[in-house]
Amino acid sequence: MKLTKGVEQAICIIVLLATQESSAPLASDEISRRLDVSPSYMKKITRKLVVQGIAMSVPGTNGGVSLAKPVEKITMLDLIEAMEGPIEMYPDSGLINRAFQDGQYAERGQNILRKVFAQGDNLLVEYFSKVTAADLLKEGFGVENLPTLNWNRETLSDVLNKEQDDKK
Amino acid sequence: MKLTKGVEQAICIIVLLATQESSAPLASDEISRRLDVSPSYMKKITRKLVVQGIAMSVPGTNGGVSLAKPVEKITMLDLIEAMEGPIEMYPDSGLINRAFQDGQYAERGQNILRKVFAQGDNLLVEYFSKVTAADLLKEGFGVENLPTLNWNRETLSDVLNKEQDDKK
DNA sequence: TTGTTTGTGGATATAATTTATCTATAATGG
DNA sequence: CCATTATAGATAAATTATATCCACAAACAA
């Protein structure tokens, strides 16, 4: 019942892309350095986000990955499904039919279980579809408008500290 | 996000024990034949149910496994936790702290995510703690009082067909 | 056009977890 | 004391998740 590490990685990527200067796509190789995985693996991951419609990518010089829609419209459900496919808890291996070879009652039990677990799935789908990346980022940074920077050059601390200095 | 096959196996075991003649514990070797796994493996599984307090076991001749409490008090949550431990979706690998080495914001983000996923956990815990084995069995057999039999000798169909014959 | 940068897709390796088995031992009852 | 059954530790097999490499395609710049 654990989500895969891929979901955690996807979340990190979204944070990077959401705070990336809007004009500049972020190269996946840069992300791979930050999350400490190989460039080729990071491309696999970002690809999943692209396929899901969360991110978009452009090849070529100064290309890279950027968000395909505003953070308000990116939900935790999107991220989970991008990495793992649809939420389906029931491990439907057909065991019940094999164990109770009596067709009628076995089939019936199978359906009851499918229904029970599908309801569990729905609880998660409804919940996670209401948690947006915007919610998390806003709560995390404690500000309405996200700081942006170019992750190729700067660190987040630089930007945030600079903002504090400006206020003084 | 799938439950393990073990949960499915546990469900089958509960069905067997719930319909087992109350006087007679069911030998795990008998269960293993039905679910088509080795006797030693089945003992591992039934042991988990015993540890969780769902089942009880007695060694020796005519020993075996039986339910430790009425089916009304056995919940799907009990079964899931018996097989998989507590429901915890968040794959907390510490990636966020590593990726955003800036302590303050990383720690904060980590906590936000823990909270978000813990709420998801709670939805499942609440839901599955309300689904009892009694509910499922009742719906599955369509009767209030479960048929009981000795699984060492009979099959479920035998008993159910016999009941229908009796009515005629 | 040619070379560089970046994403795509297939094959494959590594690691972690789940599933499963075997063996030795302990407990109970006949 | 013997047969039956559960318990517990070691280990094997299968599956899935994580990760890497490599050949290639798309964009762009010189």
Side-chain angles (χ1 to χ4, degrees), chain B residues 7-128:
Chain B
V7 173
E8 213 180 8
Q9 294 168 328
I11 291 169
C12 290
I13 294 169
I14 296 302
V15 172
L16 291 173
L17 297 184
T19 54
Q20 171 71 7
E21 283 171 356
S22 56
S23 52
L26 180 54
S28 74
D29 284 19
E30 185 58 38
I31 306 178
S32 79
R33 266 190 290 280
R34 209 148 246 289
L35 301 201
D36 194 35
V37 294
S38 71
S40 60
Y41 181 56
M42 183 47 66
K43 284 176 181 114
K44 297 280 188 209
I45 300 180
T46 54
R47 180 65 184 148
K48 287 186 182 183
L49 300 178
V50 171
V51 169
Q52 179 75 10
I54 298 170
M56 52 187 298
S57 58
V58 294
T61 314
N62 294 320
V65 187
S66 52
L67 293 183
K69 50 185 178 182
V71 285
E72 287 80 13
K73 293 200 172 169
I74 297 176
T75 70
M76 190 58 79
L77 181 65
D78 292 331
L79 293 183
I80 294 172
E81 291 191 333
M83 301 307 294
E84 312 199 351
I87 292 180
E88 284 183 357
M89 278 185 282
Y90 184 43
D92 202 335
S93 72
L95 176 63
I96 296 194
N97 270 304
R98 267 177 286 125
F100 303 93
Q101 295 184 337
D102 159 321
Q104 186 190 358
Y105 291 94
E107 199 59 47
R108 210 165 146 168
Q110 191 88 260
N111 285 333
I112 292 168
L113 287 174
R114 287 203 183 105
K115 202 179 64 188
V116 163
F117 287 108
Q119 277 188 259
D121 294 339
N122 283 338
L123 287 175
L124 294 183
V125 166
E126 281 179 30
Y127 172 62
F128 283 125

Side-chain angles (χ1 to χ4, degrees), chain A residues 4-6 9 37-38 40-41 44 59-60:
Chain A
T4 61
K5 197 174 170 181
Q9 294 168 329
V37 294
S38 72
S40 62
Y41 182 56
K44 297 280 189 211

Side-chain angles (χ1 to χ4, degrees), chain A residues 86-104:
Chain A
I87 292 180
E88 284 183 357
M89 277 185 284
Y90 185 43
D92 202 335
S93 72
L95 175 63
I96 296 193
N97 270 305
R98 266 176 287 127
F100 303 94
Q101 294 183 339
D102 158 322
Q104 186 189 359

